[in-house]
Amino acid sequence: MKSSSIKSLLEEATLHQELTVSGWVRTFRSNRFIALNDGSTLQNLQCVVDFEKMDPEVLRKINTGAALRVVGEVVPSQGRGQKIELQVSSLQVLGEANPEQYPIQPKKHSMEFLREQAHLRVRTNTFSAVMRVRSALAFAVHQYFTSEGFYYFHAPIITGSDAEGAGEMFRVSVLDPKSPPLTPEGTVDFKEDFFGKETNLTVSGQLEAEAYAMGLGKVYTFGPTFRAENSNTSRHLAEFWMIEPEMAFYDLDANMDLAEDFIQQVIRYILEHCQEDLEFLEKRLLDEEKSKPQTERSDMPLMEKLRFVTDQPFKRVSYTEAIDILKNSKPNKKKKFQYPIEGWGTDLQSEHERYLVEKHFKCPVILFNYPAEIKAFYMRLNEDGKTVRAMDILFPGIGEIVGGSQREERLDVLTDKMKALGIDEKELWWYLDLRRFGTAVHSGFGLGFERLVQFATGMGNIRDVIPFPRTPQNAEF
Ligand code: ATP
Ligand code: MN
């Protein structure tokens, strides 16, 4: 009963072989030509039926979306568009799809409509191509780190420390929200909760990865992370997958070298292995661009954009230099930025990041040495006493794709910083232990996997590169 995949059939079937194929009907023309797709490839297999010999009841059930199993002979195709086709000798309708009800008809559907049909949208060319590229990228991530001597580290999903994500975490609790146990002061008594303390879903596996890097040397996480930030943008999800390498004995320069090489290698991998899907996505993007005003169009086709990233070094610029460039930029002088650049010390907004990448440098940019005030407590303080060894990688169309740093390895500097920020040392006793026992220079970064998939596929909205997106007010499916 094993069927051949359409991908392998199209690549290696010999003529006049008899094969069984299963898939879903994309279209059925002239009561004769079935375009069958099984998800193994973008291409459909043309299956030709002889309607005069077929039971009209069965024929009636061959509609877009129906699942079929067909047996037939591989023959040269008469029609254009394909070299071979299947001359069907027997056909079984496994599952019907009533055309009055099945939402995914062979016509152009909007992305918004397809988001409401997230359980069916993978049966379209666009979403199947995106998800195949996503899968290939995930494989390339593991392949890259494994070949570079990293160990795959599973960070906990439920965390007891809220040092990093104050305010934007999802609480994990089994307490009854209607009548939670209360302390004598009248606040919720989390001692009675499942873990005996407040717990949340993780916003990052970094702190735990640091512990493992200081023993395994080089580790990386690749798992789900959660942020309860109410930012309804095309680049933010409430649940997303993050890749976080953490390396003992790496300084900031080594960290930047690794991040750049890593991104270039995984993009090269899909250029090599996902050509057909990328070509399709490139055409899709060109069509979409045509409907945009001239000024908003991207001037580069998708694959050119990917090669643009793999074929040249990223531009490395300090935060201070970037502020100078932005302060003197045309949009800043003409007051075109929504957030004007006042001076040194402010955080960059996505409009500034995109100006640097898309207009000024016209290549991926690594910004480093940010003001300490706008970055997390664990980043290593520079000798100037006011900047930290942070780095962000900025990409065209996306903005920030990577955020990373060299970590503060000096116990006294770290505890001073935590005191100043009001972070409880008792909460992070184990994190401080890493500085008490065998501390060493170390670094790491976080890359949002969906932002990488967005860049690689040219999809405009991050909700369209993850199977079932979680965003504010939306957790259907
Ligand atoms: P942003 O400023 O874009 O919100 P961030 O500074 O909060 O990003 P980090 O905390 O440094 O991001 O997280 C590391 C990486 O994770 C980011 O560079 C980005 O690629 C990704 N990322 C962060 N937040 C989200 C989100 N809500 N949805 C998807 N990816 C995200
Ligand atoms: Mn954020």
Side-chain angles (χ1 to χ4, degrees), residues 259-261 263-265 267-268 300 304-316 357 361-366 393 395-396 455:
E260 181 173 335
D261 186 51
I263 297 176
Q264 289 184 328
Q265 292 285 7
I267 299 282
R268 266 184 216 126
M300 247 190 237
E304 203 179 313
K305 216 162 65 183
L306 299 185
R307 277 190 214 101
F308 183 76
V309 165
T310 59
D311 293 356
Q312 60 176 330
F314 298 1
K315 178 79 189 165
R316 298 183 190 188
V357 173
F361 290 111
K362 299 193 165 66
C363 74
V365 172
I366 311 185
I393 302 187
F395 258 41
F455 177 73

Side-chain angles (χ1 to χ4, degrees), residues 174-422:
V174 295
L175 297 179
D176 180 357
K178 282 201 288 299
S179 60
L182 297 178
T183 61
E185 293 79 44
T187 56
V188 175
D189 187 4
F190 286 102
K191 285 211 183 69
E192 302 273 313
D193 207 344
F194 189 90
F195 296 105
K197 63 180 298 199
E198 280 189 70
T199 49
N200 295 286
L201 294 179
T202 186
V203 294
S204 156
Q206 179 203 318
L207 303 190
E208 291 89 354
E210 279 186 56
Y212 263 63
M214 299 312 278
L216 285 177
K218 296 193 283 187
V219 298
Y220 70 104
T221 73
F222 186 177
T225 43
F226 307 86
R227 296 194 183 177
E229 48 191 1
N230 204 352
S231 42
N232 253 313
T233 75
S234 59
R235 298 169 303 112
H236 287 90
L237 291 164
E239 176 182 295
F240 66 99
W241 286 66
M242 183 137 70
I243 297 153
E244 294 178 278
E246 190 70 34
M247 301 77 67
F249 316 119
Y250 273 48
D251 64 7
L252 187 66
D253 283 324
N255 196 21
M256 292 195 274
D257 291 344
L258 177 82
E260 181 173 335
D261 186 51
F262 163 61
I263 297 176
Q264 289 184 328
Q265 292 285 7
V266 295
I267 299 282
R268 266 184 216 126
Y269 180 89
I270 56 159
L271 277 168
E272 203 173 305
H273 292 87
C274 304
Q275 208 188 340
E276 186 179 273
D277 287 322
L278 291 176
E279 273 167 16
F280 171 81
L281 291 166
E282 175 169 293
K283 268 197 224 99
R284 191 202 78 86
L285 197 59
L286 285 175
D287 285 348
E288 195 185 78
E289 295 277 321
K290 275 186 209 138
S291 63
K292 284 190 195 163
Q294 192 85 41
T295 51
E296 282 172 34
R297 284 184 205 170
S298 148
D299 39 9
M300 247 190 237
L302 180 61
M303 293 215 274
E304 203 179 313
K305 216 162 65 183
L306 299 185
R307 277 190 214 101
F308 183 76
V309 165
T310 59
D311 293 356
Q312 60 176 330
F314 298 1
K315 178 79 189 165
R316 298 183 190 188
V317 191
S318 74
Y319 167 89
T320 305
E321 288 170 75
I323 286 289
D324 277 344
I325 293 167
L326 287 166
K327 221 178 2 191
N328 297 318
S329 69
K330 248 196 224 147
N332 197 53
K333 287 184 169 158
K334 290 191 174 165
K335 307 213 180 324
K336 287 276 165 63
F337 283 141
Q338 196 187 338
Y339 300 89
I341 297 286
E342 308 284 358
W344 197 91
T346 53
D347 208 355
L348 298 184
Q349 302 294 326
S350 139
E351 57 180 346
H352 309 133
E353 298 175 345
R354 293 188 59 172
Y355 173 83
L356 290 170
V357 173
E358 290 160 29
K359 298 281 172 341
H360 189 82
F361 290 111
K362 299 193 165 66
C363 74
V365 172
I366 311 185
L367 286 187
F368 63 93
N369 285 351
Y370 280 78
E373 269 90 68
I374 59 172
K375 288 289 180 185
F377 74 96
Y378 50 72
M379 298 189 179
R380 196 186 194 282
L381 194 63
N382 276 313
E383 273 61 56
D384 62 13
K386 52 179 202 172
T387 60
V388 287
R389 285 185 200 162
M391 63 110 171
D392 280 3
I393 302 187
L394 314 178
F395 258 41
I398 305 278
E400 178 186 332
I401 193 163
V402 161
S405 66
Q406 185 177 322
R407 319 304 189 190
E408 185 56 75
E409 85 285 12
R410 299 164 297 183
L411 182 64
D412 53 336
V413 182
L414 187 59
T415 48
D416 284 352
K417 184 73 170 282
M418 286 168 65
K419 267 193 211 100
L421 292 174

Side-chain angles (χ1 to χ4, degrees), residues 2 4-17 19 45 74 83-84:
K2 196 169 165 284
S4 310
S5 80
I6 290 177
K7 181 176 159 64
S8 63
L9 188 154
L10 292 175
E11 278 167 9
E12 57 211 35
T14 47
L15 285 179
H16 308 299
Q17 208 177 354
L19 287 173
L45 176 67
V74 178
K83 279 214 266 320
I84 55 172

